[in-house]
C-alpha cells in the first residue's frame, strides 16, 4: 500500500502551482500599501464569499476586473474606460484612484452624443428622438440640430412620413400622455433620456460636458444601495426603449409610420394641427 505524503509535502504541489505576484502588483503593494489594503478590505466587505478567489489572481488589472464584474452583477456598472485606463496605463495603481470614490457609469447623451445621434447611436433610438420637441430653442434654428437629425432620418425614412411629425416636435408631456401604459411608451422614455429629463441619475448625466466629474461619492453601504435601486430603474427604462428600437429597426420606414399612426390621434388638438414643416 502506498504511503501518504506528509501533510506539509502534500500541500507543496498546490503552492508551487500558484503564480507569484506580477511586478506591477508588487509595486502597488509596496508603494501604495495603504491603498491596496483599503481595496482588499472593500472587496472582502462587499463580497465575502467571492473575495478570496477574486483577489487570488496575480495581476493587478485582473483583480480590478474581477471586482468590477462582481460589483455590476450585484449593484450597478462602473465606468469601464476608467477601469481599463488605470488598470493598463495609469501612472498610479488602480487602488489609489478607486479609493477616491465610486466611478459611476453615466449614460446621458451629452453635447457630443446629441450631435452624433444618427452616426453614433442605433437607428431605432435616433428615430425615437425625432418625435419629441428639443429642450432648447437653438436646436430648432435653421441648420440646427433638429434639422440635421431630420436630414439624416430622410436617408432612411420617407420624407412624407417625416412631414407628419408636428413642427418642432411633440412636447414631451403630450408625448408621454399619448403613449403611457402602451407598447409604445418607450418613445416618450427615449425622448426623456435624450433630453436628460428622466429623473434618473445614471441617464441624466454624462462625463462629456463636465456635468458630473465622478469620484465624489464614497464606497458607503447606503450610497451603494441607493445607486443599486437607481440603476434598476434605469435598466428598466433602457430595456423599454431598446425593445421598441428593436421593433422599429425590423422595418424602420413602415414601423415609424405605424408609430405615428398610433401616436398622433392621441395628442391634444393643438398638437395635431401643428404639421407645418417650414422649420423642420
Amino acid at each position: 500500500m502506498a504511503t501518504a505524503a506528509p501533510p506539509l509535502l502534500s500541500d507543496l504541489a498546490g503552492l508551487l502551482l500558484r503564480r507569484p505576484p506580477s511586478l506591477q502588483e508588487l509595486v502597488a503593494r509596496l508603494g501604495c500599501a495603504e491603498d491596496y489594503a483599503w481595496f482588499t478590505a472593500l472587496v472582502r466587505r462587499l463580497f465575502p464569499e467571492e473575495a478570496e478567489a477574486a483577489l487570488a489572481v496575480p495581476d493587478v488589472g485582473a483583480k480590478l476586473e474581477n471586482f468590477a464584474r462582481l460589483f455590476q452583477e450585484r449593484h450597478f456598472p462602473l465606468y469601464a474606460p476608467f477601469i481599463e485606463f488605470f488598470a493598463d496605463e495609469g501612472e498610479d495603481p488602480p487602488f489609489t484612484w478607486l479609493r477616491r470614490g465610486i466611478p459611476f457609469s453615466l449614460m446621458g447623451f451629452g453635447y457630443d452624443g446629441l450631435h452624433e445621434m444618427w452616426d453614433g447611436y442605433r437607428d431605432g433610438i435616433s428615430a425615437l428622438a425625432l418625435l419629441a420637441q428639443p429642450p432648447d430653442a437653438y436646436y430648432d434654428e435653421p441648420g440646427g440640430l433638429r434639422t440635421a437629425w431630420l436630414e439624416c432620418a430622410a436617408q432612411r425614412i420617407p420624407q412624407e412620413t417625416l412631414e407628419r411629425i408636428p413642427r418642432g416636435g411633440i412636447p414631451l408631456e403630450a408625448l408621454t400622455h399619448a403613449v403611457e401604459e402602451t407598447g409604445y411608451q418607450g418613445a416618450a422614455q427615449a425622448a426623456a433620456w435624450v433630453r436628460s429629463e428622466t429623473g434618473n441619475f445614471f441617464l441624466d448625466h454624462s462625463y462629456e460636458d463636465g456635468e458630473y466629474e465622478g469620484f465624489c461619492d464614497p464606497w458607503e453601504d447606503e450610497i451603494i444601495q441607493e445607486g443599486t435601486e437607481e440603476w434598476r430603474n434605469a435598466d428598466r427604462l433602457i430595456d423599454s426603449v431598446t425593445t421598441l428600437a428593436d421593433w422599429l429597426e425590423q422595418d424602420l420606414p413602415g414601423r415609424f409610420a405605424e408609430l405615428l399612426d398610433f401616436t398622433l390621434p392621441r395628442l391634444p388638438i393643438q398638437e395635431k394641427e401643428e404639421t407645418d414643416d417650414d422649420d423642420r
Side-chain angles (χ1 to χ4, degrees):
M1 179 181 295
T3 304
L8 291 178
L9 291 179
S10 65
D11 293 338
L12 180 60
L15 293 173
L16 290 174
L17 290 174
R18 296 178 61 181
R19 294 171 54 195
S22 66
L23 179 60
Q24 183 187 23
E25 180 169 353
L26 287 174
V27 171
R29 290 190 186 187
L30 296 175
C32 302
E34 184 178 343
D35 293 339
Y36 182 77
W38 170 87
F39 174 72
T40 57
L42 176 68
V43 178
R44 292 185 174 109
R45 173 168 66 87
L46 295 179
F47 312 111
E49 296 182 2
E50 300 91 345
E52 298 313 316
L55 294 170
V57 293
D59 182 69
V60 171
K63 291 183 195 297
L64 190 64
E65 290 171 2
N66 285 343
F67 170 72
R69 173 182 52 79
L70 287 169
F71 196 86
Q72 178 168 347
E73 290 173 357
R74 305 290 177 80
H75 301 292
F76 49 83
L78 302 177
Y79 190 49
F82 284 6
I83 292 173
E84 294 167 0
F85 175 80
F86 283 100
D88 298 333
E89 302 178 31
E91 294 181 1
D92 294 326
F95 319 118
T96 297
W97 62 261
L98 197 65
R99 193 177 183 183
R100 293 170 56 193
I102 302 173
F104 295 98
S105 182
L106 304 180
M107 304 187 71
F109 281 77
Y111 181 87
D112 290 341
L114 291 174
H115 285 75
E116 297 172 359
M117 182 63 69
W118 283 93
D119 295 325
Y121 294 89
R122 50 188 299 184
D123 285 357
I125 293 178
S126 298
L128 292 174
L130 292 174
L131 293 177
Q133 191 177 75
D136 298 314
Y138 79 88
Y139 288 156
D140 270 335
E141 294 176 358
L145 182 59
R146 183 168 176 79
T147 300
W149 285 0
L150 287 161
E151 289 175 352
C152 291
Q155 300 174 23
R156 302 160 176 86
I157 300 171
Q159 185 65 37
E160 56 269 24
T161 300
L162 296 175
E163 290 175 357
R164 297 176 58 197
I165 304 173
R167 179 170 55 87
I170 303 168
L172 180 56
E173 183 177 356
L175 178 60
T176 300
H177 180 73
V179 299
E180 66 180 340
E181 298 184 359
T182 75
Y184 298 107
Q185 66 179 356
Q189 292 169 324
W193 185 6
V194 169
R195 293 163 55 111
S196 299
E197 295 181 14
T198 67
N200 184 279
F201 168 74
F202 290 97
L203 302 181
D204 290 350
H205 295 89
S206 75
Y207 288 110
E208 287 184 11
D209 304 330
E211 299 170 351
Y212 185 83
E213 296 181 355
F215 300 118
C216 70
D217 292 282
W219 296 85
E220 296 177 356
D221 290 344
E222 183 178 357
I223 292 174
I224 292 172
Q225 186 56 39
E226 289 177 1
T228 302
E229 293 299 322
E230 192 77 348
W231 174 249
R232 288 172 181 164
N233 293 331
D235 195 43
R236 283 192 288 269
L237 187 146
I238 292 170
D239 184 64
S240 177
V241 171
T242 55
T243 297
L244 185 57
D246 289 340
W247 175 80
L248 277 175
E249 289 170 0
Q250 293 174 21
D251 175 14
L252 188 60
R255 292 192 169 175
F256 189 77
E258 186 177 333
L259 175 59
L260 291 177
D261 290 341
F262 177 86
T263 305
L264 296 180
R266 298 166 68 93
L267 296 176
I269 297 298
Q270 63 269 26
E271 303 304 333
K272 297 179 192 178
E273 294 175 348
E274 291 184 4
T275 56
D276 184 357
D277 63 345
D278 289 347
D279 294 329
R280 288 180 187 276

